[in-house]
Amino acid sequence: GTLWNLEVRMGEHSTAGRRLMDTDQTAAYTNDQIPSTKLRKLRMYRGKGPPFLKIGVRVFYDAADVDAWLEAQKRTSTLEAR
């Protein structure tokens, strides 16, 4: 499947085995560790948030990308580079 062949399933979208979520669903997926307002800011102003897909005017996050991004944020000291 391609991005143009999205299937809607209970409010989530899937394509080629991906679990795609909109911004609010992504915030809920992270238990609000990354609130939707923070996701929007990271996406629009800093470009430092999780990778996202833009299809038309809609934005989607792949759950695997969000998991990988969260894993990459782990630190063992506050002195580590961000």
Side-chain angles (χ1 to χ4, degrees):
T2 65
L3 295 178
W4 304 111
N5 294 327
L6 288 176
E7 296 178 27
V8 177
R9 293 190 186 140
M10 296 173 46
E12 294 178 359
H13 305 274
S14 65
T15 180
R18 295 181 178 186
R19 178 178 174 197
L20 301 180
M21 306 168 289
D22 67 21
T23 303
D24 291 333
Q25 290 168 330
T26 302
Y29 177 76
T30 67
N31 295 317
D32 279 329
Q33 290 179 56
I34 318 170
S36 57
T37 53
K38 179 75 168 183
L39 285 166
R40 287 182 184 94
K41 287 178 184 175
L42 287 169
R43 184 173 70 234
M44 294 171 61
Y45 302 116
R46 297 185 187 163
K48 294 187 178 194
F52 62 92
L53 299 166
K54 187 158 184 179
I55 303 170
V57 297
R58 299 189 66 192
V59 171
F60 297 96
Y61 293 89
D62 185 325
D65 288 340
V66 173
D67 291 339
W69 183 82
L70 284 170
E71 187 68 24
Q73 303 313 301
K74 285 185 177 179
R75 303 289 185 264
T76 59
S77 168
T78 58
L79 298 177
E80 287 184 53
R82 294 179 182 193

Coordinates of all heavy atoms in Angstrom, one line a residue:
G1 N 0.8 -1.2 0.0 CA 0.0 0.0 0.0 C 0.9 1.3 0.0 O 2.0 1.3 0.5
T2 N 0.3 2.3 -0.6 CA 1.0 3.6 -0.6 C 0.2 4.5 0.4 O -0.8 4.2 0.9 CB 1.0 4.2 -2.0 OG1 -0.3 4.5 -2.4 CG2 1.6 3.2 -3.0
L3 N 0.8 5.7 0.6 CA 0.1 6.6 1.4 C -1.2 7.1 0.9 O -2.1 7.5 1.6 CB 1.0 7.9 1.6 CG 2.3 7.6 2.3 CD1 3.2 8.9 2.4 CD2 2.1 7.1 3.7
W4 N -1.4 6.9 -0.4 CA -2.7 7.3 -1.0 C -3.8 6.3 -0.8 O -4.9 6.5 -1.0 CB -2.5 7.6 -2.5 CG -1.4 8.6 -2.7 CD1 -0.2 8.4 -3.2 CD2 -1.4 10.0 -2.3 NE1 0.6 9.5 -3.2 CE2 -0.2 10.5 -2.7 CE3 -2.4 10.8 -1.7 CZ2 0.1 11.8 -2.5 CZ3 -2.1 12.1 -1.5 CH2 -0.8 12.6 -1.9
N5 N -3.4 5.1 -0.3 CA -4.4 4.0 -0.1 C -4.6 3.8 1.4 O -4.6 2.7 1.9 CB -3.9 2.7 -0.7 CG -3.8 2.8 -2.2 OD1 -4.7 3.5 -2.8 ND2 -2.9 2.1 -2.8
L6 N -4.8 4.9 2.2 CA -4.9 4.7 3.6 C -6.3 4.0 3.9 O -7.3 4.3 3.3 CB -5.0 6.1 4.3 CG -3.7 6.9 4.4 CD1 -3.9 8.2 4.9 CD2 -2.7 6.1 5.2
E7 N -6.2 3.2 4.9 CA -7.4 2.5 5.4 C -7.8 3.1 6.7 O -6.9 3.2 7.6 CB -7.2 1.0 5.5 CG -6.9 0.3 4.2 CD -6.7 -1.1 4.4 OE1 -7.2 -1.7 5.4 OE2 -6.0 -1.7 3.6
V8 N -9.0 3.5 6.9 CA -9.4 4.0 8.2 C -9.9 2.8 9.1 O -10.7 2.0 8.7 CB -10.6 5.0 8.1 CG1 -11.0 5.5 9.4 CG2 -10.1 6.2 7.2
R9 N -9.3 2.7 10.3 CA -9.7 1.7 11.3 C -9.9 2.3 12.6 O -8.9 2.6 13.3 CB -8.7 0.6 11.3 CG -8.6 -0.2 10.0 CD -7.7 -1.4 10.3 NE -7.5 -2.1 9.0 CZ -6.4 -2.6 8.6 NH1 -5.3 -2.5 9.3 NH2 -6.3 -3.2 7.4
M10 N -11.1 2.4 13.1 CA -11.4 2.9 14.4 C -10.6 4.2 14.8 O -10.0 4.3 15.8 CB -11.1 1.8 15.4 CG -12.0 0.6 15.3 SD -11.6 -0.8 16.3 CE -11.4 -0.1 17.9
G11 N -10.6 5.2 13.9 CA -9.9 6.4 14.2 C -8.4 6.4 14.0 O -7.8 7.5 14.1
E12 N -7.8 5.3 13.7 CA -6.4 5.3 13.4 C -6.3 4.9 11.9 O -7.2 4.3 11.3 CB -5.7 4.2 14.3 CG -5.7 4.6 15.7 CD -5.0 3.6 16.6 OE1 -4.5 2.6 16.0 OE2 -4.9 3.8 17.8
H13 N -5.2 5.2 11.4 CA -4.9 4.9 10.0 C -3.7 3.9 9.9 O -2.8 4.0 10.7 CB -4.6 6.2 9.2 CG -5.6 7.2 9.4 ND1 -6.7 7.3 8.6 CD2 -5.7 8.2 10.3 CE1 -7.5 8.3 9.0 NE2 -6.9 8.9 10.0
S14 N -3.8 3.1 8.9 CA -2.7 2.2 8.7 C -2.4 2.1 7.2 O -3.2 2.2 6.4 CB -3.0 0.8 9.2 OG -4.1 0.2 8.5
T15 N -1.1 1.9 6.9 CA -0.6 1.7 5.6 C 0.6 0.9 5.6 O 1.5 1.2 6.4 CB -0.4 3.0 4.8 OG1 0.0 2.7 3.5 CG2 0.5 3.9 5.5
A16 N 0.7 -0.1 4.8 CA 1.9 -1.0 4.8 C 2.4 -1.4 6.2 O 3.5 -1.4 6.5 CB 3.0 -0.3 4.0
G17 N 1.4 -1.8 7.0 CA 1.8 -2.3 8.4 C 2.1 -1.2 9.4 O 2.5 -1.5 10.5
R18 N 2.0 0.0 9.0 CA 2.3 1.1 9.9 C 1.1 1.5 10.7 O -0.1 1.3 10.3 CB 2.7 2.4 9.1 CG 3.9 2.3 8.4 CD 4.2 3.6 7.7 NE 5.4 3.5 6.9 CZ 6.0 4.5 6.3 NH1 5.4 5.7 6.4 NH2 7.1 4.4 5.7
R19 N 1.3 2.0 11.9 CA 0.2 2.5 12.8 C 0.4 4.0 12.8 O 1.3 4.5 13.4 CB 0.3 1.9 14.2 CG -0.8 2.5 15.1 CD -0.7 1.9 16.5 NE -1.6 2.6 17.3 CZ -1.6 2.5 18.6 NH1 -0.7 1.9 19.2 NH2 -2.5 3.2 19.3
L20 N -0.5 4.7 12.0 CA -0.4 6.1 11.9 C -1.4 6.8 12.8 O -2.6 6.4 12.9 CB -0.6 6.6 10.5 CG 0.4 6.0 9.4 CD1 0.0 6.5 8.0 CD2 1.8 6.4 9.8
M21 N -1.0 7.8 13.5 CA -1.8 8.5 14.5 C -1.8 10.0 14.2 O -0.7 10.5 13.8 CB -1.3 8.3 15.9 CG -1.2 6.8 16.3 SD -0.3 6.5 17.8 CE 1.4 7.0 17.3
D22 N -2.9 10.7 14.4 CA -2.9 12.2 14.3 C -2.2 12.7 15.6 O -1.8 12.0 16.5 CB -4.3 12.7 14.0 CG -5.2 12.6 15.2 OD1 -4.8 12.4 16.4 OD2 -6.4 12.7 15.0
T23 N -2.1 14.0 15.7 CA -1.4 14.7 16.8 C -2.0 14.4 18.1 O -1.3 14.0 19.1 CB -1.3 16.2 16.5 OG1 -0.7 16.4 15.3 CG2 -0.5 16.9 17.6
D24 N -3.3 14.4 18.2 CA -3.9 14.2 19.5 C -3.8 12.7 19.9 O -3.6 12.4 21.1 CB -5.4 14.6 19.5 CG -5.6 16.1 19.4 OD1 -4.7 16.8 19.9 OD2 -6.6 16.5 18.9
Q25 N -3.9 11.8 18.9 CA -3.7 10.4 19.2 C -2.3 10.1 19.6 O -2.1 9.2 20.5 CB -4.1 9.5 18.0 CG -5.6 9.6 17.6 CD -5.9 9.0 16.3 OE1 -5.0 9.1 15.4 NE2 -7.0 8.4 16.1
T26 N -1.3 10.8 19.0 CA 0.1 10.6 19.4 C 0.3 11.1 20.8 O 1.0 10.4 21.6 CB 1.0 11.3 18.4 OG1 0.7 10.8 17.1 CG2 2.5 11.1 18.8
A27 N -0.3 12.2 21.2 CA -0.2 12.6 22.6 C -0.7 11.6 23.6 O -0.1 11.3 24.6 CB -0.9 14.0 22.8
A28 N -1.9 11.0 23.2 CA -2.5 10.0 24.1 C -1.6 8.7 24.1 O -1.4 8.1 25.1 CB -3.9 9.7 23.6
Y29 N -1.0 8.4 22.9 CA -0.2 7.2 22.8 C 1.0 7.4 23.8 O 1.5 6.4 24.3 CB 0.3 7.1 21.4 CG 1.3 6.0 21.1 CD1 0.8 4.7 21.0 CD2 2.6 6.2 20.9 CE1 1.7 3.6 20.8 CE2 3.5 5.2 20.7 CZ 3.1 3.9 20.6 OH 3.9 2.9 20.3
T30 N 1.5 8.6 24.0 CA 2.7 8.8 24.9 C 2.2 9.1 26.3 O 3.0 9.5 27.1 CB 3.6 10.0 24.4 OG1 2.8 11.2 24.5 CG2 4.0 9.7 23.0
N31 N 1.0 8.9 26.6 CA 0.4 9.2 27.9 C 0.7 10.6 28.3 O 1.0 11.0 29.4 CB 0.9 8.2 29.0 CG 0.5 6.8 28.7 OD1 -0.7 6.6 28.4 ND2 1.4 5.9 28.9
D32 N 0.6 11.5 27.3 CA 0.8 12.9 27.4 C 2.2 13.3 27.9 O 2.4 14.4 28.4 CB -0.3 13.6 28.3 CG -1.5 13.9 27.5 OD1 -1.4 14.2 26.3 OD2 -2.6 13.9 28.1
Q33 N 3.2 12.4 27.7 CA 4.6 12.7 27.9 C 5.0 13.8 26.9 O 5.8 14.7 27.2 CB 5.5 11.5 27.7 CG 5.4 10.5 28.8 CD 6.3 9.3 28.4 OE1 7.5 9.5 28.3 NE2 5.8 8.1 28.4
I34 N 4.4 13.8 25.7 CA 4.5 14.8 24.7 C 3.1 15.3 24.4 O 2.4 14.7 23.6 CB 5.1 14.3 23.4 CG1 6.3 13.4 23.7 CG2 5.6 15.5 22.5 CD1 6.8 12.7 22.4
P35 N 2.6 16.4 25.1 CA 1.3 16.9 24.8 C 1.2 17.3 23.3 O 2.2 17.7 22.7 CB 1.2 18.1 25.8 CG 2.3 17.9 26.7 CD 3.3 17.1 26.1
S36 N -0.1 17.4 22.8 CA -0.3 17.8 21.4 C 0.2 19.2 21.1 O 0.8 19.4 20.1 CB -1.8 17.7 21.1 OG -2.6 18.4 21.9
T37 N 0.2 20.1 22.1 CA 0.7 21.4 21.9 C 2.2 21.4 21.7 O 2.8 22.1 20.9 CB 0.4 22.4 23.0 OG1 0.8 21.8 24.3 CG2 -1.1 22.7 23.1
K38 N 2.9 20.5 22.5 CA 4.3 20.4 22.3 C 4.7 19.7 21.0 O 5.7 20.2 20.3 CB 4.9 19.5 23.5 CG 6.4 19.3 23.5 CD 7.1 20.5 23.9 CE 8.6 20.2 24.1 NZ 9.3 21.3 24.6
L39 N 3.9 18.7 20.6 CA 4.2 18.1 19.3 C 4.1 19.1 18.2 O 4.9 19.2 17.2 CB 3.2 17.0 19.0 CG 3.4 15.7 19.8 CD1 2.2 14.8 19.7 CD2 4.6 15.0 19.2
R40 N 3.1 20.0 18.2 CA 2.9 21.0 17.2 C 4.1 22.0 17.2 O 4.6 22.4 16.1 CB 1.6 21.8 17.4 CG 0.4 21.0 17.1 CD -0.9 21.8 17.2 NE -2.1 20.9 17.0 CZ -2.7 20.2 17.9 NH1 -2.4 20.3 19.2 NH2 -3.8 19.5 17.5
K41 N 4.5 22.4 18.4 CA 5.7 23.3 18.5 C 6.9 22.7 17.9 O 7.7 23.3 17.2 CB 5.9 23.8 19.9 CG 4.8 24.8 20.4 CD 5.0 25.2 21.8 CE 3.9 26.1 22.3 NZ 4.0 26.4 23.7
L42 N 7.2 21.4 18.3 CA 8.4 20.7 17.9 C 8.4 20.6 16.4 O 9.4 20.8 15.7 CB 8.5 19.3 18.5 CG 8.8 19.3 20.0 CD1 8.6 17.9 20.5 CD2 10.3 19.7 20.2
R43 N 7.2 20.4 15.8 CA 7.1 20.2 14.4 C 7.2 21.5 13.6 O 7.9 21.6 12.6 CB 5.7 19.6 14.1 CG 5.4 19.2 12.7 CD 4.1 18.5 12.5 NE 2.9 19.3 12.8 CZ 2.0 19.1 13.6 NH1 2.0 18.0 14.3 NH2 1.0 19.9 13.8
M44 N 6.6 22.5 14.1 CA 6.5 23.8 13.4 C 7.7 24.7 13.6 O 8.2 25.4 12.7 CB 5.3 24.6 13.8 CG 4.0 23.8 13.3 SD 2.5 24.6 14.0 CE 2.6 26.2 13.3
Y45 N 8.3 24.7 14.8 CA 9.3 25.7 15.1 C 10.7 25.2 15.2 O 11.7 25.9 15.0 CB 8.9 26.5 16.3 CG 7.6 27.2 16.3 CD1 6.6 26.8 17.1 CD2 7.4 28.2 15.3 CE1 5.3 27.4 17.0 CE2 6.1 28.8 15.2 CZ 5.1 28.4 16.1 OH 3.9 29.0 16.0
R46 N 10.8 24.0 15.7 CA 12.2 23.5 15.9 C 12.6 22.3 15.0 O 13.7 22.1 14.9 CB 12.2 23.0 17.4 CG 12.0 24.1 18.4 CD 12.2 23.7 19.8 NE 11.9 24.7 20.7 CZ 11.6 24.6 21.9 NH1 11.7 23.4 22.5 NH2 11.3 25.6 22.7
G47 N 11.6 21.5 14.5 CA 11.9 20.4 13.7 C 12.7 19.3 14.5 O 13.4 18.5 13.9
K48 N 12.6 19.3 15.8 CA 13.3 18.4 16.6 C 12.4 17.3 17.2 O 12.9 16.5 18.0 CB 14.0 19.1 17.8 CG 15.1 20.0 17.3 CD 15.9 20.6 18.4 CE 17.0 21.5 17.8 NZ 18.0 21.9 18.8
G49 N 11.2 17.2 16.9 CA 10.3 16.2 17.4 C 10.4 14.9 16.6 O 11.2 14.7 15.7
P50 N 9.4 14.0 16.9 CA 9.4 12.8 16.1 C 9.1 13.0 14.6 O 8.4 14.0 14.3 CB 8.3 11.9 16.8 CG 7.7 12.8 17.9 CD 8.4 14.1 17.9
P51 N 9.6 12.2 13.7 CA 9.3 12.3 12.3 C 7.8 12.2 12.1 O 7.1 11.5 12.9 CB 10.0 11.1 11.7 CG 11.0 10.7 12.6 CD 10.5 11.0 14.0
F52 N 7.3 12.9 11.1 CA 5.9 12.8 10.8 C 5.6 12.8 9.3 O 6.5 13.1 8.5 CB 5.1 14.0 11.4 CG 5.6 15.4 10.9 CD1 4.9 16.0 9.8 CD2 6.7 16.0 11.5 CE1 5.4 17.2 9.3 CE2 7.1 17.3 11.0 CZ 6.4 17.8 9.9
L53 N 4.4 12.4 9.0 CA 4.0 12.4 7.6 C 2.9 13.5 7.4 O 2.1 13.6 8.3 CB 3.3 11.0 7.2 CG 4.2 9.8 7.4 CD1 3.3 8.5 7.3 CD2 5.2 9.8 6.2
K54 N 3.0 14.2 6.3 CA 2.0 15.2 6.0 C 1.3 14.7 4.7 O 1.9 14.6 3.7 CB 2.6 16.5 5.8 CG 1.5 17.6 5.7 CD 2.0 19.0 6.0 CE 0.8 19.9 5.9 NZ 1.2 21.2 6.3
I55 N 0.0 14.4 4.8 CA -0.8 14.0 3.7 C -1.9 15.0 3.5 O -2.8 15.1 4.3 CB -1.4 12.6 4.0 CG1 -0.2 11.6 4.3 CG2 -2.2 12.1 2.8 CD1 -0.7 10.3 4.8
G56 N -1.7 15.8 2.4 CA -2.6 16.9 2.3 C -2.4 17.9 3.4 O -1.2 18.3 3.6
V57 N -3.4 18.2 4.1 CA -3.2 19.2 5.2 C -3.1 18.4 6.6 O -2.9 19.1 7.6 CB -4.4 20.2 5.3 CG1 -4.4 21.0 4.1 CG2 -5.7 19.5 5.5
R58 N -3.2 17.1 6.5 CA -3.2 16.3 7.8 C -1.8 15.8 8.1 O -1.1 15.5 7.2 CB -4.2 15.2 7.7 CG -5.6 15.7 7.4 CD -6.7 14.6 7.5 NE -6.7 14.1 8.9 CZ -7.3 13.0 9.2 NH1 -8.0 12.3 8.3 NH2 -7.3 12.6 10.5
V59 N -1.6 15.8 9.4 CA -0.3 15.3 9.9 C -0.5 14.0 10.6 O -1.4 13.9 11.4 CB 0.4 16.3 10.8 CG1 1.6 15.8 11.5 CG2 0.7 17.6 10.1
F60 N 0.4 13.0 10.4 CA 0.3 11.7 11.1 C 1.7 11.4 11.6 O 2.7 11.7 11.0 CB -0.1 10.6 10.1 CG -1.5 10.8 9.5 CD1 -1.7 11.4 8.3 CD2 -2.6 10.4 10.3 CE1 -3.0 11.6 7.8 CE2 -3.9 10.6 9.8 CZ -4.1 11.2 8.5
Y61 N 1.7 10.7 12.7 CA 2.9 10.1 13.3 C 2.8 8.6 13.2 O 1.8 8.0 13.5 CB 3.1 10.6 14.7 CG 3.3 12.0 14.9 CD1 2.3 12.9 15.0 CD2 4.6 12.6 14.9 CE1 2.5 14.3 15.1 CE2 4.8 13.9 15.1 CZ 3.8 14.8 15.2 OH 4.0 16.1 15.3
D62 N 3.9 8.0 12.9 CA 4.0 6.5 12.9 C 4.5 6.1 14.3 O 5.4 6.6 14.8 CB 5.1 6.1 11.8 CG 5.2 4.6 11.7 OD1 5.0 3.8 12.7 OD2 5.5 4.1 10.6
A63 N 3.7 5.2 14.9 CA 4.0 4.7 16.3 C 5.4 4.3 16.4 O 6.1 4.6 17.4 CB 3.0 3.7 16.7
A64 N 6.0 3.6 15.4 CA 7.4 3.1 15.5 C 8.3 4.2 15.5 O 9.3 4.2 16.3 CB 7.7 2.2 14.3
D65 N 8.1 5.3 14.8 CA 8.9 6.5 14.8 C 8.9 7.2 16.1 O 9.9 7.7 16.6 CB 8.5 7.5 13.7 CG 8.9 7.0 12.3 OD1 9.8 6.1 12.2 OD2 8.3 7.5 11.3
V66 N 7.7 7.3 16.7 CA 7.5 7.9 18.0 C 8.3 7.1 19.1 O 9.0 7.7 19.9 CB 6.0 8.1 18.4 CG1 5.8 8.6 19.8 CG2 5.3 9.0 17.4
D67 N 8.1 5.8 19.0 CA 8.9 5.0 20.0 C 10.4 5.2 19.8 O 11.1 5.3 20.8 CB 8.5 3.5 19.8 CG 7.1 3.2 20.2 OD1 6.5 3.9 21.0 OD2 6.6 2.1 19.7
A68 N 10.9 5.2 18.6 CA 12.3 5.4 18.4 C 12.8 6.7 18.8 O 13.9 6.9 19.4 CB 12.6 5.2 16.9
W69 N 12.0 7.8 18.6 CA 12.4 9.1 19.0 C 12.4 9.2 20.5 O 13.3 9.8 21.1 CB 11.4 10.1 18.4 CG 11.7 11.5 18.7 CD1 12.6 12.3 18.1 CD2 11.2 12.3 19.8 NE1 12.7 13.6 18.7 CE2 11.8 13.6 19.7 CE3 10.3 12.1 20.8 CZ2 11.6 14.6 20.6 CZ3 10.0 13.1 21.7 CH2 10.6 14.4 21.6
L70 N 11.4 8.6 21.2 CA 11.4 8.6 22.6 C 12.7 7.9 23.2 O 13.3 8.4 24.1 CB 10.1 8.0 23.2 CG 8.9 8.9 23.1 CD1 7.7 8.0 23.5 CD2 9.0 10.1 24.0
E71 N 13.0 6.8 22.6 CA 14.2 6.0 23.0 C 15.4 6.9 22.9 O 16.3 6.8 23.7 CB 14.3 4.7 22.2 CG 15.3 3.8 22.7 CD 15.1 3.2 24.0 OE1 13.9 3.1 24.5 OE2 16.1 2.8 24.7
A72 N 15.5 7.6 21.8 CA 16.7 8.5 21.5 C 16.8 9.6 22.5 O 17.9 10.2 22.6 CB 16.7 9.0 20.1
Q73 N 15.7 9.9 23.2 CA 15.8 11.1 24.2 C 16.3 10.7 25.5 O 16.5 11.5 26.4 CB 14.3 11.6 24.4 CG 13.7 12.1 23.1 CD 14.5 12.9 22.2 OE1 15.0 14.0 22.6 NE2 14.8 12.5 21.0
K74 N 16.6 9.4 25.7 CA 17.1 8.9 27.0 C 18.5 9.5 27.3 O 19.3 9.6 26.4 CB 17.2 7.4 27.1 CG 15.9 6.7 27.2 CD 16.2 5.2 27.3 CE 14.9 4.5 27.5 NZ 15.1 3.0 27.6
R75 N 18.6 9.9 28.6 CA 19.9 10.5 29.0 C 20.2 9.9 30.4 O 19.4 9.5 31.1 CB 19.8 12.0 29.2 CG 19.4 12.8 27.9 CD 20.5 12.8 26.9 NE 20.2 13.6 25.7 CZ 19.7 13.1 24.6 NH1 19.4 11.8 24.5 NH2 19.4 13.9 23.6
T76 N 21.5 9.9 30.7 CA 21.9 9.4 32.0 C 22.4 10.6 32.9 O 22.7 10.4 34.0 CB 23.1 8.4 31.9 OG1 24.2 8.9 31.2 CG2 22.5 7.1 31.2
S77 N 22.5 11.8 32.3 CA 23.0 12.9 33.0 C 22.4 14.2 32.4 O 22.2 14.2 31.2 CB 24.5 13.0 33.0 OG 25.0 14.3 33.4
T78 N 22.1 15.2 33.3 CA 21.6 16.4 32.7 C 22.7 17.2 32.0 O 22.4 18.2 31.3 CB 21.1 17.3 33.9 OG1 22.1 17.5 34.8 CG2 19.9 16.7 34.5
L79 N 23.9 16.8 32.1 CA 25.0 17.4 31.4 C 25.2 16.9 29.9 O 25.9 17.5 29.1 CB 26.3 17.2 32.1 CG 26.4 17.8 33.5 CD1 27.7 17.5 34.2 CD2 26.2 19.3 33.5
E80 N 24.5 15.8 29.6 CA 24.6 15.3 28.2 C 24.0 16.3 27.2 O 23.1 17.0 27.5 CB 23.9 14.0 28.1 CG 24.6 12.8 28.8 CD 23.9 11.5 28.6 OE1 23.7 11.2 27.4 OE2 23.7 10.8 29.6
A81 N 24.6 16.3 26.0 CA 24.1 17.1 24.9 C 22.7 16.7 24.6 O 22.3 15.5 24.7 CB 25.0 17.0 23.7
R82 N 21.9 17.7 24.2 CA 20.5 17.4 23.8 C 20.4 17.1 22.4 O 21.1 17.4 21.5 CB 19.6 18.6 24.1 CG 19.6 18.8 25.6 CD 18.7 20.0 25.9 NE 18.7 20.2 27.3 CZ 17.9 21.0 27.9 NH1 17.1 21.7 27.3 NH2 18.0 21.1 29.2

